[in-house]
């Protein structure tokens, strides 16, 4: 177990006491990077504030001040976000491997006619060679020696051989790349299923909801290895790595004498060691990680002009909030006894600042001496600098590197493995972050709440009231007694028997409730115009006609289709980058262990990884499948394919099962060269022929239409489409 502990943590913890040996160049660079990150964060702070306001609105349906007043709230924004996520992402995508289009043949022109001509020429040449080999040798009149007969090769034989050799090499290359692409598909699908505790589907649905609420969602890719420090991410693969790192940190504290005999950490260390020793094996995994940073924790370069692809950005920062113990476990730097880092709260706000901002970039910042142990969280910045090609790990206020600057942990074409999903992207010279669905619904949500709150107040004000003249009752307590009466309760008051209660009390006129003043239909009409959501989707009954409702539904579907296209493009970029990471980081042995012994995993350079084979998401594979449309289309296309020469029965059956959403394994069911089941049944039903030709008229095929296969055709589904009209009885009218 000690060896496993050493393998999982190869960086020894260094206590930062404020006097760490930092070169002036490094100190200057650290200060400049921290100022750059703070400047970018300050520049995007208004957008981050809008995101937090939208999160509040989507969570509770109103602003915090409105909720404090206990006002009426109907959370239609939260309902809209839930429905959008369900419509846009219903299942995990189907990833397919694509090959960069290339011309694989140097000699063959990819014309089947020229290939057939080359085959015929080669066959003729081979026959000529066989004839020459069988012919008797001839005598050379000059030397008098026997000479084998020379074949008379057809014209163009050498060119035909070159074409055939080129065809075989190109076809073999295509087959290898096709198997490599299939291997990559299976491997990537396996990596999606390995994501725990946040499974891939749950994470992507959360990402879609986050995009609808905060206008942008991010995915960061990383690779977790069995040995070495863990990547500084929020998500990890489910294994014992985090437990081992924590155990290492406790063991180092004990070795350095930081634990007392009665310390709680000592008991925790002993119990953790006992639990690990009781386990039969320690599970360590490696593979691709999909991390989902919060929208307010990704800080683009303030010069960025487009979130998709981070166009114009020269650097990018991802922010994490850790405890001092987590920083020690991840980076090997002990900040628990230091006062020279800026303490943060759980939500990401600063508690206090101990940083001396130096306006001059060339000035060396003054390293502060610690004044005592600080309580609070640490803000860690992972800063991608594209110009230098390095990644810097910094802590806000800390004057040392958390990890030495180095190249990114994973290789992707875009340098930084962070990708943004945006739905409502627009063109603006002043705003980088587009409005989210919740921001577009802000006024409608507030007006809906105000309308309902106003109706509540009006109804409260319109409750019946009565007045009576002073001294109308014999006692001053009598009005209170009447006012406090419960239903079906009687009370006695000081009044003469001749008096009537109507003569003493009078009804106070109150205004009636005019429902037109508080109608919410106009707000739902605005919702249809702004975000494409109609009232019927929220459960309300609209007064629109069926035609108007159908037109509105088509408009909503168009809006969803545009967002689905954006989601497919985003997932294709993520899949392509993830495939590049797997091609570089996974060994052939690991791939065969996951995919199988038939996996093809060639050794490729970075250039080949970036441009040879790539992954993308099949269009529309993340949405709810419309199986009825697919089956109907296959009914139209299937008969045409059945009559087309060269269509593989194996492929046809496999495609039919896929469209019917059946899990049939055609690898076990298909056998090459075997007749169809119908043909086998026909052969099995033929009468045996005992030694001679059949009698005239015994062959069912010779008996006309009544003697052939009389198996009735399967009934087809009726419908208005032309494909359903073949077996339908026409109307006599």
């Amino acid at each position: 177990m000690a060896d496993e502990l050493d393998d999982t943590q190869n960086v020894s913890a260094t206590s930062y006491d404020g006097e760490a040996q930092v070169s002036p160049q490094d100190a200057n660079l650290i200060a400049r990077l921290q100022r750059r990150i703070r400047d970018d964060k300050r520049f995007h702070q208004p957008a981050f504030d809008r995101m937090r306001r939208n999160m509040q609105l989507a969570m509770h349906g109103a602003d915090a001040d409105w909720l404090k007043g206990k006002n009426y709230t109907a959370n239609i924004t939260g309902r809209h976000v839930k429905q959008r996520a369900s419509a846009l992402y219903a299942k995990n995508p189907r990833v397919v491997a694509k090959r960069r289009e290339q011309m694989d043949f140097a000699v063959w022109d990819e014309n089947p006619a020229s290939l057939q001509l080359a085959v015929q020429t080669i066959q003729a040449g081979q026959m000529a060679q066989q004839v020459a080999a069988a012919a008797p040798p001839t005598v050379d009149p000059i030397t008098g020696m026997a000479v084998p007969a020379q074949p008379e090769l057809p014209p163009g034989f050498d060119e035909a051989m070159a074409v055939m050799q080129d065809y075989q090499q190109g076809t073999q290359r295509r087959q290898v790349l096709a198997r490599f692409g299939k291997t990559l598909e299976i491997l990537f699908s396996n990596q999606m299923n390995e994501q725990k505790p946040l499974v891939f589907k749950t994470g992507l649905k959360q990402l879609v909801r986050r995009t609808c609420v905060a206008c942008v969602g991010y995915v960061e890719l990383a690779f977790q290895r069995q040995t070495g420090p863990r990547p500084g991410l929020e998500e990890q693969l489910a294994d014992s790595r985090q437990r081992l790192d924590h155990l290492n940190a406790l063991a180092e504290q004990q070795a350095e004498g930081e634990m007392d005999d009665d310390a709680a950490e000592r008991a925790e260390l002993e119990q953790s060691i006992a639990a690990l020793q009781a386990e039969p094996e320690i599970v360590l995994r490696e593979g691709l990680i999909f991390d989902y940073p919060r929208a307010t924790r990704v800080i683009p370069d303030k010069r960025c002009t487009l979130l998709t692809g981070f166009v114009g950005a020269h650097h990018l920062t991802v922010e994490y909030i850790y405890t001092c113990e987590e920083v020690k476990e991840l980076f090997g730097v002990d900040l628990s006894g230091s006062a020279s880092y800026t303490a943060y709260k759980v939500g990401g706000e600063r508690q206090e600042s101990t940083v001396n901002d130096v306006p001059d970039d060339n000035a060396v910042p003054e390293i502060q001496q610690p004044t005592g142990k600080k309580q609070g969280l640490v803000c860690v910045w992972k800063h991608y600098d594209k110009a230098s090609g390095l990644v810097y790990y910094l802590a806000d206020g800390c004057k040392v590197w958390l990890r030495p600057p180095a190249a990114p942990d994973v290789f992707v074409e875009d340098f930084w493995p962070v990708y943004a999903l945006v739905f409502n992207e627009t063109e603006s010279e002043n705003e980088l972050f587009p409005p989210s669905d919740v921001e577009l619904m802000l006024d409608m949500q507030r007006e809906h709440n105000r309308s309902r709150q106003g109706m509540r107040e009006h109804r409260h004000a319109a409750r019946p009231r009565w007045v009576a003249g002073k001294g109308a009752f014999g006692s001053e307590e009598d009005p209170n007694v009447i006012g406090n009466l419960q239903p079906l309760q009687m009370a006695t008051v000081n009044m003469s028997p001749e008096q009537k209660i109507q003569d003493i009390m009078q009804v106070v006129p109150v205004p009636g409730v005019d429902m037109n003043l508080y109608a919410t239909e106009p707000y739902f009409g605005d919702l249809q115009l702004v975000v494409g959501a109609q009232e019927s989707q929220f459960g309300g009954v609209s007064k629109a006609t069926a035609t108007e409702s159908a037109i509105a539904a088509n408009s909503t579907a168009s809006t969803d289709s545009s967002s689905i296209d954006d989601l497919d493009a985003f997932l294709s970029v993520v899949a392509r980058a993830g495939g590049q990471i797997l091609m570089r980081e996974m060994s052939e042995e690991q791939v065969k262990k996951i995919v199988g012994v038939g996996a093809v995993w060639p050794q490729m350079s970075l250039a080949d990884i970036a441009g040879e084979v790539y992954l993308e998401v099949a269009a529309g594979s993340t949405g709810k499948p419309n199986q009825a449309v697919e089956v109907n289309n296959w009914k139209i296309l299937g008969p045409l394919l059945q009559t087309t020469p060269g269509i593989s029965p194996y492929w046809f059956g496999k495609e039919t099962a896929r469209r019917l959403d059946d899990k049939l394994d055609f690898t076990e069911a298909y056998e090459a060269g075997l007749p169809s089941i119908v043909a086998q049944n026909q052969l099995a039903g033929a009468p045996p022929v005992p030694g001679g030709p059949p009698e005239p008229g015994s062959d069912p095929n010779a008996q006309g239409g009544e003697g052939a296969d009389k198996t009735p055709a399967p009934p087809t589904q009726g419908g208005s489409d032309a494909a359903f009209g073949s077996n339908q009885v026409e109307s006599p009218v």
Side-chain angles (χ1 to χ4, degrees), residues 19-86:
E19 297 180 353
Q21 297 298 325
V22 180
S23 65
Q25 295 82 2
D26 284 346
N28 192 17
L29 179 58
I30 291 173
R32 189 180 68 179
L33 292 176
Q34 289 183 350
R35 283 195 300 271
R36 176 199 290 178
I37 296 172
R38 294 192 197 100
D39 190 21
D40 291 338
K41 189 174 182 179
R42 191 180 306 110
F43 180 82
H44 295 301
Q45 193 60 43
F48 293 157
D49 293 339
R50 292 199 307 268
M51 294 179 188
R52 295 186 176 94
R53 179 202 61 192
N54 296 337
M55 296 175 194
Q56 163 75 22
L57 196 68
M59 174 65 72
H60 302 287
D63 299 325
D65 295 338
W66 182 267
L67 295 175
K68 289 180 181 178
K70 297 182 179 180
N71 296 314
Y72 187 96
T73 303
N75 193 356
I76 59 177
T77 55
R79 176 69 180 273
H80 169 75
V81 171
K82 183 177 180 180
Q83 289 182 334
R84 285 275 285 172
S86 175

XYZ file of all heavy atoms in Angstrom, residues 19-86:
558
model
N 8.431 33.509 3.070
C 9.825 33.741 2.744
C 10.323 32.714 1.733
O 11.486 32.324 1.743
C 10.676 33.674 4.025
C 10.321 34.759 5.036
C 11.166 34.664 6.281
O 11.930 33.673 6.394
O 11.063 35.546 7.130
N 9.412 32.207 0.924
C 9.793 31.211 -0.071
C 10.769 31.832 -1.062
O 10.708 33.021 -1.382
C 8.560 30.693 -0.805
N 11.676 30.997 -1.533
C 12.689 31.475 -2.462
C 12.061 31.629 -3.844
O 11.845 30.648 -4.550
C 13.856 30.488 -2.497
C 14.583 30.339 -1.167
C 15.215 31.649 -0.725
O 15.691 32.431 -1.552
N 15.226 31.889 0.577
N 11.721 32.842 -4.196
C 11.131 33.155 -5.489
C 12.057 34.133 -6.190
O 12.420 35.172 -5.623
C 9.722 33.771 -5.336
C 9.125 34.081 -6.692
C 8.828 32.823 -4.557
N 12.430 33.800 -7.396
C 13.311 34.689 -8.135
C 12.574 35.972 -8.477
O 11.339 35.987 -8.586
C 13.793 34.000 -9.411
O 12.708 33.766 -10.289
N 13.274 37.070 -8.624
C 12.600 38.324 -8.995
C 11.827 38.208 -10.303
O 10.772 38.820 -10.446
C 13.759 39.316 -9.099
C 14.842 38.746 -8.257
C 14.714 37.263 -8.382
N 12.349 37.428 -11.253
C 11.635 37.271 -12.517
C 10.305 36.544 -12.314
O 9.268 36.959 -12.832
C 12.501 36.506 -13.520
C 13.778 37.221 -13.943
C 14.895 37.029 -12.938
O 14.738 36.335 -11.935
N 16.034 37.673 -13.204
N 10.323 35.455 -11.524
C 9.084 34.727 -11.261
C 8.106 35.571 -10.458
O 6.889 35.566 -10.719
C 9.384 33.424 -10.524
C 9.951 32.357 -11.443
O 9.865 32.549 -12.680
O 10.484 31.350 -10.950
N 8.608 36.290 -9.462
C 7.721 37.139 -8.662
C 7.072 38.211 -9.518
O 5.881 38.537 -9.371
C 8.513 37.766 -7.515
N 7.843 38.784 -10.429
C 7.303 39.798 -11.328
C 6.253 39.201 -12.260
O 5.201 39.795 -12.509
C 8.438 40.420 -12.134
C 7.997 41.663 -12.878
O 6.962 42.227 -12.566
N 8.783 42.077 -13.857
N 6.524 37.997 -12.784
C 5.571 37.348 -13.679
C 4.293 36.959 -12.952
O 3.184 37.125 -13.483
C 6.221 36.109 -14.306
C 5.345 35.288 -15.267
C 4.860 36.140 -16.422
C 6.105 34.069 -15.771
N 4.421 36.463 -11.723
C 3.235 36.093 -10.943
C 2.363 37.311 -10.688
O 1.130 37.268 -10.840
C 3.671 35.431 -9.616
C 4.295 34.067 -9.888
C 2.477 35.285 -8.683
C 4.895 33.429 -8.651
N 2.976 38.417 -10.303
C 2.202 39.635 -10.045
C 1.518 40.130 -11.317
O 0.362 40.577 -11.284
C 3.115 40.716 -9.472
N 2.227 40.073 -12.451
C 1.618 40.541 -13.702
C 0.446 39.654 -14.111
O -0.597 40.159 -14.559
C 2.671 40.566 -14.804
C 2.187 41.238 -16.083
C 3.260 41.242 -17.152
N 3.537 39.894 -17.625
C 4.412 39.603 -18.580
N 5.126 40.565 -19.138
N 4.605 38.366 -18.955
N 0.580 38.343 -13.976
C -0.511 37.443 -14.335
C -1.720 37.652 -13.429
O -2.866 37.624 -13.893
C -0.034 35.996 -14.259
C 1.001 35.562 -15.298
C 1.449 34.134 -15.045
C 0.443 35.694 -16.705
N -1.492 37.857 -12.144
C -2.610 38.086 -11.233
C -3.328 39.383 -11.560
O -4.566 39.449 -11.501
C -2.108 38.096 -9.785
C -1.681 36.729 -9.282
C -1.248 36.750 -7.833
O -1.087 37.819 -7.236
N -1.043 35.571 -7.252
N -2.588 40.431 -11.902
C -3.238 41.681 -12.307
C -4.031 41.493 -13.597
O -5.118 42.043 -13.749
C -2.187 42.782 -12.475
C -1.682 43.364 -11.168
C -0.945 44.677 -11.421
N 0.203 44.484 -12.292
C 1.422 44.173 -11.873
N 1.646 44.002 -10.583
N 2.423 44.025 -12.724
N -3.490 40.717 -14.530
C -4.206 40.471 -15.787
C -5.517 39.739 -15.526
O -6.562 40.094 -16.092
C -3.325 39.661 -16.725
C -4.017 39.281 -18.024
C -3.312 38.122 -18.716
N -2.014 38.518 -19.245
C -1.185 37.669 -19.870
N -1.521 36.384 -19.984
N -0.032 38.087 -20.343
N -5.475 38.740 -14.662
C -6.690 37.969 -14.377
C -7.716 38.837 -13.662
O -8.911 38.807 -13.980
C -6.331 36.725 -13.554
C -5.433 35.791 -14.372
C -7.590 35.988 -13.117
C -4.877 34.632 -13.577
N -7.262 39.635 -12.686
C -8.204 40.515 -11.986
C -8.792 41.551 -12.929
O -9.970 41.920 -12.823
C -7.491 41.212 -10.821
C -7.045 40.278 -9.719
C -6.630 41.081 -8.490
N -5.841 40.256 -7.573
C -4.517 40.289 -7.489
N -3.829 41.140 -8.243
N -3.875 39.506 -6.643
N -8.001 42.030 -13.871
C -8.492 43.010 -14.837
C -9.572 42.390 -15.726
O -10.618 43.005 -15.979
C -7.337 43.530 -15.680
C -7.725 44.727 -16.526
O -8.726 45.394 -16.182
O -7.049 45.002 -17.533
N -9.344 41.167 -16.204
C -10.354 40.485 -17.006
C -11.624 40.229 -16.195
O -12.742 40.410 -16.688
C -9.806 39.158 -17.535
C -8.724 39.352 -18.582
O -8.685 40.434 -19.195
O -7.916 38.424 -18.790
N -11.447 39.816 -14.954
C -12.612 39.528 -14.108
C -13.401 40.797 -13.812
O -14.640 40.783 -13.798
C -12.130 38.874 -12.808
C -13.251 38.322 -11.947
C -12.693 37.557 -10.760
C -13.812 36.961 -9.927
N -13.274 36.186 -8.765
N -12.702 41.902 -13.578
C -13.384 43.179 -13.346
C -14.118 43.643 -14.601
O -15.211 44.209 -14.520
C -12.357 44.224 -12.910
C -12.959 45.511 -12.375
C -11.870 46.490 -11.967
N -10.931 45.904 -11.025
C -9.670 45.608 -11.314
N -9.185 45.854 -12.538
N -8.873 45.079 -10.409
N -13.548 43.370 -15.770
C -14.171 43.783 -17.027
C -15.478 43.021 -17.253
O -16.462 43.593 -17.744
C -13.198 43.536 -18.181
C -13.727 43.919 -19.531
C -13.693 45.241 -19.967
C -14.274 42.965 -20.372
C -14.187 45.592 -21.206
C -14.772 43.308 -21.612
C -14.725 44.627 -22.039
N -15.508 41.736 -16.918
C -16.700 40.910 -17.137
C -17.621 40.869 -15.925
O -18.616 40.123 -15.952
C -16.281 39.481 -17.487
C -15.541 39.355 -18.782
N -16.074 39.748 -19.988
C -14.286 38.880 -19.050
C -15.190 39.516 -20.960
N -14.109 39.009 -20.417
N -17.337 41.636 -14.873
C -18.142 41.575 -13.664
C -19.607 41.938 -13.899
O -20.502 41.285 -13.327
C -17.539 42.491 -12.588
C -18.121 42.276 -11.203
C -17.898 40.870 -10.706
O -16.815 40.318 -10.855
N -18.931 40.286 -10.105
N -19.952 42.960 -14.708
C -21.377 43.216 -14.964
C -22.100 42.016 -15.583
O -23.249 41.734 -15.233
C -21.349 44.417 -15.917
C -20.066 45.114 -15.619
C -19.099 44.017 -15.296
N -21.436 41.317 -16.496
C -22.061 40.129 -17.087
C -22.228 39.033 -16.044
O -23.255 38.333 -16.017
C -21.227 39.622 -18.262
N -21.241 38.863 -15.156
C -21.364 37.856 -14.104
C -22.492 38.208 -13.133
O -23.194 37.316 -12.641
C -20.035 37.730 -13.350
C -18.913 37.174 -14.183
C -17.592 37.419 -13.850
C -19.171 36.420 -15.316
C -16.558 36.907 -14.617
C -18.142 35.909 -16.100
C -16.835 36.158 -15.749
N -22.676 39.490 -12.857
C -23.779 39.908 -11.987
C -25.129 39.595 -12.642
O -26.075 39.170 -11.958
C -23.676 41.398 -11.676
C -22.462 41.723 -10.815
O -21.945 40.809 -10.153
O -22.020 42.895 -10.824
N -25.236 39.811 -13.946
C -26.486 39.458 -14.643
C -26.734 37.953 -14.577
O -27.880 37.510 -14.421
C -26.428 39.907 -16.100
C -26.428 41.406 -16.295
C -26.828 41.772 -17.726
N -26.001 41.077 -18.705
C -24.881 41.558 -19.215
N -24.429 42.742 -18.797
N -24.186 40.890 -20.122
N -25.671 37.168 -14.708
C -25.837 35.712 -14.622
C -26.379 35.306 -13.262
O -27.282 34.467 -13.163
C -24.500 35.021 -14.885
C -23.972 35.185 -16.300
S -22.369 34.356 -16.489
C -21.904 34.907 -18.130
N -25.840 35.900 -12.203
C -26.310 35.551 -10.858
C -27.754 36.005 -10.647
O -28.530 35.313 -9.978
C -25.385 36.173 -9.814
C -23.967 35.601 -9.846
C -23.120 36.138 -8.703
N -21.802 35.513 -8.682
C -20.725 36.005 -9.265
N -20.805 37.173 -9.912
N -19.572 35.374 -9.205
N -28.127 37.152 -11.199
C -29.522 37.584 -11.104
C -30.435 36.612 -11.852
O -31.524 36.260 -11.367
C -29.666 38.984 -11.682
C -31.086 39.545 -11.655
C -31.252 40.635 -12.678
N -31.018 40.132 -14.029
C -30.874 40.910 -15.098
N -30.912 42.223 -14.976
N -30.670 40.390 -16.284
N -30.009 36.151 -13.021
C -30.815 35.204 -13.777
C -30.929 33.860 -13.058
O -31.966 33.189 -13.141
C -30.209 35.001 -15.168
C -30.231 36.263 -16.003
O -31.036 37.168 -15.760
N -29.349 36.366 -16.982
N -29.858 33.456 -12.372
C -29.944 32.222 -11.585
C -30.986 32.353 -10.481
O -31.762 31.422 -10.216
C -28.579 31.895 -10.985
C -27.490 31.583 -11.993
S -25.881 31.341 -11.182
C -24.779 31.423 -12.596
N -31.006 33.502 -9.829
C -32.008 33.752 -8.792
C -33.413 33.710 -9.375
O -34.332 33.121 -8.788
C -31.733 35.122 -8.148
C -32.878 35.715 -7.344
C -33.056 35.035 -6.008
O -32.126 34.423 -5.510
N -34.254 35.144 -5.437
N -33.586 34.297 -10.546
C -34.910 34.338 -11.162
C -35.362 32.946 -11.593
O -36.533 32.587 -11.433
C -34.881 35.281 -12.368
C -36.235 35.744 -12.908
C -36.911 36.650 -11.903
C -36.063 36.474 -14.229
N -34.459 32.155 -12.142
C -34.839 30.808 -12.571
C -35.088 29.887 -11.392
O -35.912 28.967 -11.481
C -33.744 30.226 -13.471
N -34.403 30.106 -10.291
C -34.582 29.258 -9.120
C -35.887 29.555 -8.394
O -36.639 28.639 -8.034
C -33.398 29.445 -8.173
C -33.528 28.720 -6.837
S -33.537 26.925 -6.990
C -31.820 26.646 -7.396
N -36.202 30.843 -8.187
C -37.338 31.225 -7.354
C -38.442 31.949 -8.120
O -39.511 32.166 -7.547
C -36.870 32.112 -6.204
C -35.829 31.469 -5.339
N -36.111 30.457 -4.447
C -34.490 31.678 -5.240
C -35.005 30.076 -3.823
N -34.006 30.806 -4.284
N -38.202 32.357 -9.358
C -39.246 33.035 -10.113
C -39.406 34.501 -9.792
O -40.359 35.127 -10.273
N -38.519 35.077 -9.003
C -38.624 36.493 -8.634
C -37.300 36.931 -8.050
O -36.431 36.113 -7.706
C -39.754 36.728 -7.635
N -37.130 38.272 -7.944
C -35.948 38.831 -7.316
C -36.002 38.623 -5.805
O -37.061 38.340 -5.225
C -35.839 40.322 -7.639
C -35.721 40.580 -9.131
O -35.090 39.740 -9.807
O -36.258 41.592 -9.613
N -34.842 38.786 -5.174
C -34.761 38.548 -3.731
C -35.641 39.529 -2.957
O -36.300 39.143 -1.981
C -33.303 38.648 -3.274
N -35.678 40.800 -3.367
C -36.501 41.788 -2.663
C -37.981 41.447 -2.776
O -38.754 41.658 -1.832
C -36.237 43.188 -3.226
C -34.815 43.653 -2.956
O -34.190 43.115 -2.024
O -34.329 44.525 -3.704
N -38.391 40.938 -3.929
C -39.792 40.554 -4.113
C -40.157 39.382 -3.198
O -41.248 39.333 -2.627
C -40.028 40.193 -5.574
C -41.441 39.823 -5.922
C -41.976 38.574 -5.938
C -42.488 40.705 -6.301
N -43.294 38.614 -6.313
C -43.632 39.923 -6.542
C -42.567 42.083 -6.463
C -44.845 40.470 -6.939
C -43.772 42.635 -6.859
C -44.902 41.833 -7.093
N -39.241 38.450 -3.029
C -39.515 37.296 -2.180
C -39.535 37.680 -0.710
O -40.309 37.097 0.075
C -38.468 36.217 -2.422
C -38.453 35.584 -3.816
C -37.286 34.620 -3.946
C -39.759 34.851 -4.096
N -38.709 38.646 -0.323
C -38.710 39.069 1.077
C -40.055 39.649 1.488
O -40.463 39.537 2.644
C -37.601 40.100 1.311
C -36.203 39.503 1.260
C -35.148 40.576 1.503
C -33.746 39.977 1.422
N -32.682 41.005 1.618
N -40.743 40.289 0.555
C -42.060 40.833 0.850
C -43.167 39.809 0.834
O -44.339 40.177 1.005
N -42.835 38.534 0.622
C -43.823 37.444 0.577
C -44.917 37.734 -0.440
O -46.110 37.511 -0.196
C -44.418 37.202 1.960
C -43.399 36.758 2.989
C -44.048 36.480 4.346
C -43.000 36.005 5.348
N -43.595 35.711 6.686
N -44.487 38.229 -1.586
C -45.431 38.534 -2.647
C -45.729 37.283 -3.474
O -45.039 36.261 -3.387
C -44.868 39.638 -3.558
C -44.698 40.950 -2.824
O -45.588 41.388 -2.099
N -43.547 41.581 -2.987
N -46.756 37.393 -4.299
C -47.178 36.270 -5.143
C -46.101 36.004 -6.205
O -45.579 36.926 -6.832
C -48.505 36.607 -5.821
C -49.116 35.458 -6.583
C -50.082 34.645 -6.001
C -48.723 35.172 -7.886
C -50.650 33.593 -6.697
C -49.273 34.119 -8.585
C -50.235 33.329 -7.984
O -50.792 32.285 -8.676
N -45.771 34.727 -6.410
C -44.743 34.338 -7.369
C -45.197 33.103 -8.123
O -45.630 32.117 -7.512
C -43.406 34.040 -6.662
O -43.005 35.178 -5.905
C -42.332 33.702 -7.681
N -45.119 33.158 -9.444
C -45.366 32.009 -10.315
C -44.122 31.830 -11.185
O -43.850 32.652 -12.068
C -46.609 32.216 -11.173
N -43.368 30.793 -10.951
C -42.066 30.604 -11.589
C -42.248 30.015 -12.988
O -42.094 28.808 -13.205
C -41.192 29.691 -10.738
C -39.744 29.710 -11.185
O -39.399 30.343 -12.175
N -38.899 29.017 -10.457
N -42.545 30.873 -13.959
C -42.671 30.403 -15.336
C -41.309 30.286 -16.010
O -41.149 29.523 -16.967
C -43.592 31.346 -16.148
C -43.050 32.765 -16.175
C -44.998 31.323 -15.590
C -43.872 33.723 -17.005
N -40.303 31.012 -15.525
C -38.961 30.890 -16.111
C -38.358 29.525 -15.803
O -37.728 28.900 -16.664
C -38.047 32.004 -15.585
O -38.040 31.966 -14.147
C -38.535 33.356 -16.037
N -38.513 29.059 -14.562
C -38.008 27.732 -14.225
C -38.687 26.639 -15.032
O -38.042 25.675 -15.456
N -39.993 26.798 -15.273
C -40.713 25.814 -16.092
C -40.199 25.837 -17.534
O -40.022 24.796 -18.169
C -42.210 26.134 -16.051
C -43.082 25.266 -16.936
C -43.164 23.835 -16.425
N -44.006 23.018 -17.281
C -45.334 22.916 -17.151
N -45.952 23.607 -16.194
N -46.039 22.135 -17.940
N -39.934 27.021 -18.046
C -39.425 27.130 -19.417
C -38.043 26.485 -19.539
O -37.772 25.766 -20.514
C -39.352 28.597 -19.821
C -38.614 28.835 -21.104
N -39.148 28.549 -22.336
C -37.357 29.329 -21.340
C -38.270 28.841 -23.281
N -37.179 29.318 -22.703
N -37.165 26.714 -18.567
C -35.827 26.127 -18.616
C -35.912 24.608 -18.577
O -35.195 23.902 -19.307
C -34.974 26.674 -17.455
C -33.669 25.918 -17.341
C -34.707 28.155 -17.647
N -36.793 24.077 -17.754
C -36.948 22.625 -17.660
C -37.435 22.040 -18.975
O -36.942 20.997 -19.438
C -37.921 22.294 -16.530
C -38.110 20.811 -16.288
C -39.038 20.563 -15.115
C -39.220 19.066 -14.867
N -40.133 18.820 -13.717
N -38.390 22.685 -19.614
C -38.913 22.183 -20.884
C -37.883 22.313 -21.996
O -37.775 21.440 -22.865
C -40.188 22.940 -21.254
C -41.376 22.596 -20.367
C -42.632 23.333 -20.787
O -42.562 24.402 -21.382
N -43.775 22.778 -20.463
N -37.112 23.388 -22.006
C -36.083 23.556 -23.031
C -35.015 22.474 -22.910
O -34.566 21.910 -23.911
C -35.443 24.930 -22.885
C -36.316 26.062 -23.389
C -36.146 26.256 -24.880
N -34.884 26.901 -25.194
C -34.402 27.061 -26.414
N -35.069 26.567 -27.432
N -33.250 27.673 -26.628
N -34.602 22.183 -21.688
C -33.598 21.140 -21.500
C -34.128 19.786 -21.952
O -33.395 18.989 -22.560
C -33.168 21.083 -20.034
N -35.394 19.507 -21.686
C -35.980 18.236 -22.114
C -36.080 18.146 -23.627
O -35.883 17.075 -24.210
C -37.360 18.072 -21.478
O -38.007 16.915 -21.948
